[in-house]
Amino acid sequence: ILNVEQSPQSLHVQEGDSTNFTCSFPSSNFYALHWYRWETAKSPEALFVMTLNGDEKKKGRISATLNTKEGYSYLYIKGSQPEDSATYLCAPSNTGNQFYFGTGTSLTVIP
Amino acid sequence: NAGVMQNPRHLVRRRGQEARLRCSPVKGHSHVYWYRQLPEEGLKFMVYLQKENIIDESGMPKERFSAEFPKEGPSILRIQQVVRGDSAAYFCASSPPRALRSTIYFGEGSWLTVV
């Protein structure tokens, strides 16, 4: 099982603030890095999948970067809105197609 | 959630009873994953299955827990002689075959309460 660390564990920001969180993972046997958004009482929803070192993906106000050599990914949210409140999970997958999730960063955006 | 169906959504069992949780993957997906979310914790990997095979069960407790994904029918996560500590949300996810870059799609979870 891969040891995946996400920080911070939780975050409270004001509406309009920009924020970012970190996902750290072992770089050996790495194949892809996945970000998911998980709202309470719902199922996790895929945001991004990235495979190449230096990859950057963007979806609206949310973007992510990947550094496979040092084993980390950043997720950025620009101009946070209350509807962005959720837990953000990252999961590296290896060449065996196994996904191991971090414990997530819980984001609360205060109106 | 792209069609992963889990049932039951909520299950209450007394200590010592058996719990069976079912997962029907997205049509055409042959890979199934089970995760457990304990209160105040994230998603913990339990087991990864392909049709008729267990690929990785390193996250599953050695005793009382078992999983299968038969050729026909849903994947089943079985918990025998449940204890209070088994109370959790159990999430199933599926992915297509040979799709290393594919995301996995989650069901809405099954909430097990042991009383």
Side-chain angles (χ1 to χ4, degrees), chain A residues 1 9 31-32 34-36 38 40-49 51-52 89 91 93-104, chain B residues 1 9 31 33 35 37 40-45 48 50 55-56 58-59 91 95-96 98-109 111:
Chain A
I1 293 184
Q9 196 170 13
Y31 193 83
H34 306 254
W35 280 100
Y36 283 78
W38 191 15
T40 304
K42 294 186 179 179
S43 53
E45 174 193 351
L47 284 174
F48 304 116
V49 54
T51 55
L52 299 175
L89 301 168
S93 59
N94 59 18
T95 50
N97 213 34
Q98 289 144 307
F99 289 67
Y100 300 102
F101 284 84
T103 51
Chain B
N1 62 16
R9 294 293 312 280
H31 297 202
Y33 307 77
Y35 293 85
Q37 183 200 15
E40 306 300 321
E41 294 187 19
L43 285 174
K44 299 290 187 189
F45 170 78
Y48 166 38
Q50 292 178 13
I55 305 303
D56 180 357
S58 58
F91 286 87
S95 71
R98 296 184 299 278
L100 291 178
R101 288 192 181 84
S102 176
T103 55
I104 58 175
Y105 297 90
F106 281 87
E108 294 190 324
W111 269 258

Side-chain angles (χ1 to χ4, degrees), chain A residues 3-12 19-25 35 71-76 87-90 101-107:
Chain A
N3 186 26
V4 182
E5 295 185 2
Q6 289 189 246
S7 63
Q9 196 170 13
S10 67
L11 196 54
H12 289 71
T19 186
N20 65 85
F21 354 112
T22 306
C23 170
S24 302
F25 52 88
W35 280 100
Y72 65 83
S73 175
Y74 293 136
L75 187 81
Y76 301 90
T87 296
Y88 292 83
L89 301 168
C90 74
F101 284 84
T103 51
T105 293
S106 174
L107 173 67

Side-chain angles (χ1 to χ4, degrees), chain A residues 27-88:
Chain A
S27 50
S28 58
N29 287 333
F30 170 86
Y31 193 83
L33 191 285
H34 306 254
W35 280 100
Y36 283 78
R37 180 173 180 275
W38 191 15
E39 290 183 69
T40 304
K42 294 186 179 179
S43 53
E45 174 193 351
L47 284 174
F48 304 116
V49 54
M50 297 180 287
T51 55
L52 299 175
N53 186 44
D55 252 357
E56 182 170 341
K57 293 283 177 82
K58 190 173 180 183
K59 189 176 182 178
R61 293 179 292 97
I62 305 177
S63 60
T65 60
L66 177 66
N67 183 320
T68 60
K69 292 182 179 176
E70 295 181 38
Y72 65 83
S73 175
Y74 293 136
L75 187 81
Y76 301 90
I77 302 179
K78 186 177 176 183
S80 303
Q81 298 297 309
E83 57 265 30
D84 296 329
S85 297
T87 296
Y88 292 83

